[in-house]
Amino acid sequence: MIRTLFVDAGGVLYNNVNEETDFLDRVAGRYGVDRGELARRVEASAPRYESGASHVHRVIARLVAGGSGPAAGTPAEGRWMDRAYLDSVRPHPDSFRVLRELRERHPEVRLVLTNNEAEHWDRLKDEAYGHFALFDTLCSSWRTGRVKPAPSFFTEALQACRATAAETLLVDDRTTVLRVGTGLGMHTLHVSVPEVFADRLGAAVRGDALPSEP
């Protein structure tokens, strides 16, 4: 029986900003750096801000240092970056809806946010769209100090919400993450497109068993 739901944000509740939008193009253009190189460096540096070790503004300012644009890292440039980021965020309304319905009809199921994200970006999205309120427990990477797909991310999250792997359904858009979850004994649901989450979880809201994949 599923008692705990581990839910990703990017690819499930929201779009994946760095991968699916022109956000990094806009950053690269503003600071006069190569877009492809910036994308590679952001991907490599993401664990620094996702784990909470460093503020995302500071990380990106370091990556664009030496470009031909304005000096990054100032409060004004931080505000510009926040606007550019939020302009790129797209929530998936059906995913929000089905989680609200699950909370109302199955309060016995603990909903846990298990996303890789900078604390600053996570809070900006919450201020705009309110995803934190959908969950009983927040286990974002900046809270656990761990980053998916590290097994320690999930062992920390399981311990934080006093859950067992065998009674947990892991929902994510990345197969590398799901493989780790399977190895730890969790049930998994691959959200290849956002509609999968609302369609499959809708069955649970109507009283059927929570969906999972081998």
Side-chain angles (χ1 to χ4, degrees):
M1 180 179 180
I2 300 298
R3 299 183 183 275
T4 307
L5 212 63
F6 280 2
V7 182
D8 187 27
V12 179
L13 298 178
Y14 299 98
N15 59 336
N16 286 304
V17 171
N18 286 354
E19 296 85 354
E20 299 174 15
T21 78
D22 68 349
F23 172 66
L24 291 182
D25 291 322
R26 296 174 67 182
V27 172
R30 184 171 182 85
Y31 298 109
V33 298
D34 179 79
R35 196 275 183 208
E37 180 61 23
L38 177 62
R40 288 188 291 272
R41 296 181 71 188
V42 167
E43 183 178 5
S45 302
R48 288 284 298 162
Y49 59 76
E50 290 174 343
S51 67
S54 186
H55 195 287
V56 65
H57 287 174
R58 190 173 301 116
V59 171
I60 294 180
R62 187 182 72 250
L63 297 182
V64 300
S68 60
T74 66
E77 289 304 297
R79 290 190 292 273
W80 176 87
M81 198 174 299
D82 289 348
R83 289 193 298 272
Y85 184 84
L86 282 176
D87 284 347
S88 301
V89 172
R90 298 291 180 268
H92 300 311
D94 286 343
S95 296
F96 277 68
R97 173 186 53 76
V98 77
L99 275 182
R100 291 191 185 99
E101 292 175 356
L102 183 62
R103 282 184 62 87
E104 292 172 1
R105 301 188 189 188
H106 296 278
E108 74 280 5
V109 177
R110 178 179 288 273
L111 302 181
V112 184
L113 179 63
T114 53
N115 62 326
N116 283 348
E117 184 58 285
E119 178 178 2
H120 187 66
W121 292 157
D122 221 3
R123 292 191 182 280
L124 282 182
K125 286 189 285 193
D126 179 61
E127 290 171 6
Y129 300 106
H131 66 290
F132 286 179
L134 299 172
F135 297 94
D136 301 297
T137 306
L138 303 181
C139 284
S140 297
S141 55
W142 54 268
R143 283 211 164 185
T144 65
R146 307 286 192 273
V147 178
K148 296 182 297 185
S152 59
F153 175 96
F154 295 110
T155 55
E156 182 83 11
L158 289 167
Q159 183 177 7
C161 56
R162 298 180 180 179
T164 65
E167 295 178 326
T168 298
L169 172 62
L170 170 63
V171 180
D172 207 286
D173 65 321
R174 294 168 57 198
T175 56
T176 52
V177 170
L178 297 172
R179 281 196 293 269
V180 172
T182 299
L184 293 172
M186 287 186 275
H187 303 271
T188 62
L189 175 61
H190 181 210
V191 179
S192 54
V193 293
E195 292 77 13
V196 169
F197 182 61
D199 291 346
R200 299 288 301 278
L201 203 60
V205 171
R206 292 189 295 271
D208 300 330
L210 283 169
S212 62
E213 297 166 346

